[in-house]
Amino acid sequence: YFERSFIKDAKETLIISSVHYNYLVKKYSIKPIIVPIGTTPIPEIPAKRGNYLLAFGRWQQRKNPQLLLELIKRIPDAKLLLAGSWTSGAELAVFKDEIKRSKLSHRIKLIPHYSDRVLKRLCASARVFLHPHFEAFGLAALEAAGHGVPIIVPEKSGVTEGFIHGVHGFFPGGEDIDTYTPYVQKLIGDSRLAYRMGKAAWLTVKSAYSWKAIVNRLLN
C-alpha cells in the first residue's frame, strides 16, 4: 500500500541499481531512474596488497557468514578479518562458538566496530574483499573497491553493474563454498593480480562512483 502510494505520488522514482527495475516497471508502469550510491575513494592506494581476506558490514545469519568460515576451513593459509556489528547477539555467540570449536581463533579476527580510519587500515591489510550474500546494491563492496581492494561478490548484485568480472574482481554465480573457493585461491596465490584488479576497481570508483560523480549524475 505505502509503496504504491509513494511511487504514484512521486514525480520521479530513483533506485540504486537495476535489481528491482523490471519489478517496478511491471507493477507500477513507470520507468525508474538508476542513480547508484557513491563513496569516497582514498587519494592513493598502497603499493601492494595485504594478505588477509576481508569482510565488513552489518552481520546476521541470513547474510551467510558461515560461507566465510567454510572458506577458512578449506584454504589452509587463509586468514580472515571480519568487521562490523551483529544485529543479534545470540547469532554472534553461535558464530564465535563455531570458530572456537573449529580451532580457527588464530586465523579469524572479529572486529565489532570500526571507524573510517580503522577501515582504511583493514583495507590496506586485505588481499581481497568478500561478500557472501546477494544484495540489491552492496555498499561495503563499493567502499572496499574505493580503497583499492578487489571484490568477490555474488553476480547480479547491484554493485557489480559498475564493474567487470575478471577485471575488478570476481562475481560468483552462487553463494556456496565450491563457487567461491577457486576465485579466493586465485587471488591469494597471485598478489600482483590482486593489486592490478584492486587498482582497476579504485580507478573506476574515482571516475564513476565518487560522490562528485554521483551528484553530477543526479543533477543531469
Side-chain angles (χ1 to χ4, degrees):
Y1 172 85
F2 286 113
E3 181 178 80
R4 176 176 293 276
S5 174
F6 295 151
I7 290 174
K8 291 301 183 182
D9 287 346
K11 182 176 178 66
E12 296 284 0
T13 297
L14 280 68
I15 53 177
I16 57 177
S17 74
S18 66
V19 170
H20 296 114
Y21 185 91
N22 289 335
Y23 162 80
L24 293 170
V25 171
K26 182 177 179 180
K27 191 167 184 68
Y28 302 113
S29 300
I30 64 165
K31 289 189 176 180
I33 299 169
I34 299 173
V35 180
I37 302 172
T39 190
T40 303
I42 58 175
E44 296 292 337
I45 61 174
K48 61 180 182 179
R49 292 258 45 89
N51 295 317
Y52 286 87
L53 307 181
L54 174 64
F56 60 87
R58 182 179 290 271
W59 294 101
Q60 53 188 298
Q61 195 59 40
R62 71 176 187 84
K63 290 197 172 182
N64 201 19
Q66 183 66 29
L67 173 58
L68 303 174
L69 194 60
E70 295 302 320
L71 281 167
I72 298 303
K73 290 179 182 178
R74 179 172 288 194
I75 306 174
D77 297 331
K79 292 184 178 181
L80 172 68
L81 297 171
L82 194 151
S85 61
W86 288 65
T87 57
S88 166
E91 289 185 356
L92 173 58
V94 169
F95 193 72
K96 285 181 174 179
D97 285 344
E98 189 160 359
I99 291 173
K100 184 179 290 187
R101 284 199 311 273
S102 302
K103 298 180 180 180
L104 294 172
S105 299
H106 63 296
R107 294 172 55 202
I108 300 177
K109 184 175 183 180
L110 299 179
I111 302 161
H113 305 288
Y114 58 89
S115 62
D116 288 345
R117 184 173 62 182
V118 171
L119 181 61
K120 183 177 180 180
R121 188 168 70 245
L122 294 176
C123 288
S125 302
R127 177 65 58 90
V128 59
F129 169 86
L130 299 173
H131 193 70
H133 175 68
F134 173 85
E135 299 277 6
F137 189 77
L139 177 59
L142 184 67
E143 291 177 318
H147 284 77
V149 185
I151 58 176
I152 298 182
V153 186
E155 71 172 351
K156 297 183 180 178
S157 288
V159 71
T160 66
E161 294 168 13
F163 298 96
I164 300 171
H165 175 80
V167 175
H168 304 109
F170 296 109
F171 310 139
E175 299 170 25
D176 60 84
I177 184 70
D178 291 330
T179 308
Y180 268 66
T181 298
Y183 296 128
V184 175
Q185 288 177 322
K186 190 175 186 68
L187 290 173
I188 286 178
D190 193 338
S191 62
R192 296 309 301 167
L193 176 63
Y195 176 80
R196 289 196 302 272
M197 284 187 162
K199 184 176 181 180
W202 172 68
L203 291 172
T204 296
V205 172
K206 286 183 67 176
S207 64
Y209 290 95
S210 69
W211 278 117
K212 182 177 181 180
I214 296 301
V215 169
N216 284 335
R217 189 181 304 192
L218 180 59
L219 291 173
N220 288 335

